[in-house]
Amino acid sequence: YQPQLDLRGRQIVGVEALLRWRRANGSYIAPGEFIPIAEQSTLIITLSQWLINQICRQILIWDHIKLPPLRVAFNVAARHFRHAQILATLHESVGRYAIDPARLCIELTEDALLDDAAHARTILEEIKRIGLSISIDDFGAGYSSLSHLRSYPIDELKIDQRFIAELTTDPGSRAIAASVIAIGNTFGLRVVAEGVETAVQLAILSEHDCGIVQGYHLANPMSANALADWIRYRQEGPA
Ligand code: C2E
Ligand code: CA
Ligand code: CA
C-alpha cells in the first residue's frame, strides 16, 4: 500500500494497493512481470477477486485499530474491466464485508474506455451505482478525449508518472502535467500526481495546484502493518 497525500495539508487521504508476489525465498516478483501473464487467461479474474476481498478485509482491520478512514485505490486490468465478473465481485465483496463503498477507488487505464465505449459507460455507471470512485490511471499517455471526462462518471485523474519524472527536464512534459491538473481542477475531479521523487517536483506540482501526491519522495509502497506504523508515527512522533 502506497500513501497518497493531500499536497497542501500533507495529510494521508488514501493508499494505492500494489500487488507483490512473494517467492519461497522471501524475494519479490514485481507486478509488471506476473500481471501481463495473468492477463492472458482467466487467472487475472481470480487474482482481482482475491485482491478486492483482501482490501475489504484490510479496511476492516485498519478501522478496528482506529486508523483514519482511508480510501483504498486498486488497479483493474483493461481485460478484466470488460468482463462482467468485475461487477459481481464488487457487489459481493462490498456486501460481504459491509464496507462503505466510498472507501474504494477503482483505477482504470485509458485503454479500458476505448473499445466499445457504450459498454464501458454501462460498466462505469454500475460501478458508480455500487458507490466506488473511479480514477483514470496514467492519464495523458493514452488516447482518451476530453469529452470522455464529461460523458463518463469519472472522479479522479492520475497523471502518467512519465510526465512527473520529466517535470524539470522537459518543458513539454511540464506543460502536459500542468494541463492535466488544470483540466482536472476545472472539471472538479481529484488530480493525483504519482511517481513524485523530489522536493523540486513537489514544489512545481504545488505551484500548479495539484491536489494529491504519491511517490518515493513521500512514502514507498509498504505492507499493511508497516502502513499502520507509518501513520501512527506521523500522528504521534517517535514513541
Ligand atoms: P501503476 O498502477 O502505474 O503503479 C505505479 C507504479 O509506480 C508502482 O509500480 C509503484 O510502486 C511505482 N512507484 C511508486 N512511487 C514511485 C516513484 O516515486 N518513482 C517511480 N519511478 N515509481 C514509483 P509497481 O508496484 O511495480 O506496479 C507496476 C504496475 O503493475 C502498476 O502501475 C499497475 O499497472 C500494475 N499493477 C500493480 N498492482 C496491480 C494489481 O493489483 N492489478 C493489476 N491489474 N495491475 C497491477
Ligand atoms: Ca495505478
Ligand atoms: Ca499509474
Side-chain angles (χ1 to χ4, degrees), residues 16 18 75 107 137 158 194:
E16 179 180 5
L18 294 159
N75 297 280
E107 289 193 9
D137 202 356
K158 286 190 90 169
E194 67 175 339

Side-chain angles (χ1 to χ4, degrees), residues 5-202:
L5 277 69
D6 157 51
L7 202 163
R8 273 207 198 138
R10 300 294 162 86
Q11 292 295 314
I12 182 167
V13 292
V15 291
E16 179 180 5
L18 294 159
L19 271 175
R20 300 289 180 266
W21 181 316
R22 191 163 44 213
R23 283 201 179 92
N25 68 9
S27 67
Y28 288 90
I29 308 176
E33 275 186 60
F34 63 83
I35 296 279
I37 297 171
E39 276 189 73
Q40 289 167 22
S41 72
T42 54
L43 262 181
I44 190 65
I45 293 165
T46 317
L47 195 63
S48 295
Q49 280 172 330
W50 173 85
L51 177 80
I52 292 164
N53 280 312
Q54 192 67 25
I55 289 170
C56 291
R57 250 199 308 271
Q58 192 57 57
I59 286 176
L60 292 183
I61 294 171
W62 283 332
D63 284 355
H64 183 70
I65 62 170
K66 306 241 171 348
L67 241 49
L70 303 174
R71 182 170 52 233
V72 183
F74 57 94
N75 297 280
V76 167
R79 185 178 175 277
H80 185 200
F81 170 74
R82 290 190 216 100
H83 203 284
Q85 186 61 46
I86 184 74
L87 292 175
T89 301
L90 291 173
H91 265 300
E92 207 178 283
S93 304
V94 165
R96 180 186 316 156
Y97 294 97
I99 296 289
D100 173 2
R103 298 283 293 278
L104 300 174
C105 174
I106 186 166
E107 289 193 9
L108 302 164
T109 47
E110 292 169 83
D111 53 338
L113 309 181
L114 289 182
D115 7 300
D116 199 352
H119 181 52
R121 178 174 305 112
T122 308
I123 302 179
L124 291 177
E125 280 167 358
E126 186 54 31
I127 291 174
K128 285 307 294 177
R129 238 192 311 280
I130 300 172
L132 280 78
S133 61
I134 298 173
S135 175
I136 304 303
D137 202 356
D138 305 339
F139 189 82
Y143 298 94
S144 62
S145 72
L146 291 182
S147 67
H148 284 157
L149 300 182
R150 193 169 54 111
S151 62
Y152 289 144
I154 289 164
D155 302 281
E156 177 182 291
L157 301 179
K158 286 190 90 169
I159 307 169
D160 191 298
Q161 56 179 297
R162 185 177 33 150
F163 304 123
I164 308 302
E166 295 172 351
L167 270 182
T168 54
T169 53
D170 182 341
S173 289
R174 182 169 171 164
I176 290 175
S179 308
V180 174
I181 296 168
I183 290 165
N185 289 345
T186 306
F187 278 84
L189 307 175
R190 298 194 296 261
V191 180
V192 182
E194 67 175 339
V196 179
E197 293 185 353
T198 68
V200 177
Q201 290 168 347
L202 195 63

